[in-house]
Amino acid sequence: MTDFTWTENSRTVFDESLKAAPMPFRGVTKKGLLKGLTKIVGEGGDVREEDVVRAIKDSTPAPFVAQGLKAIEPFLTDSSILDR
């Protein structure tokens, strides 16, 4: 895995988003999220919860975005991140 610096609850949010993906798609989901995070924060960058949410929104097929965001909401320190 890319060597990010996870801040706030970002690692938990990332992990929970993977758990929300159906088992056959978890590998593809993880790859997409890591690629999205690298695009947002760079290699080894500081990942915030907001960055994980953005990566989810950018890399998840549209019909599944709401389900993914609902799964991570309890782990966010500020749920208003979902509205940004």
Side-chain angles (χ1 to χ4, degrees), residues 5-52:
T5 301
W6 302 93
T7 63
E8 304 163 322
N9 286 342
S10 61
R11 181 57 193 249
T12 300
V13 172
F14 177 84
D15 291 341
E16 291 299 322
S17 70
L18 293 179
K19 289 179 188 176
M23 185 62 80
F25 300 105
R26 286 187 185 166
V28 172
T29 301
K30 182 176 182 178
K31 184 177 178 179
L33 289 177
L34 290 174
K35 183 177 178 181
L37 287 172
T38 301
K39 184 177 177 183
I40 294 166
V41 303
E43 288 285 336
D46 293 343
V47 178
R48 301 168 299 149
E49 293 173 24
E50 185 173 342
D51 301 322
V52 178

Side-chain angles (χ1 to χ4, degrees), residues 39-40 49-59 81:
K39 184 177 177 183
I40 294 166
E49 293 173 24
E50 185 173 342
D51 301 322
V52 178
V53 170
R54 182 172 162 201
I56 291 169
K57 289 179 177 180
D58 291 348
S59 67
I81 293 170

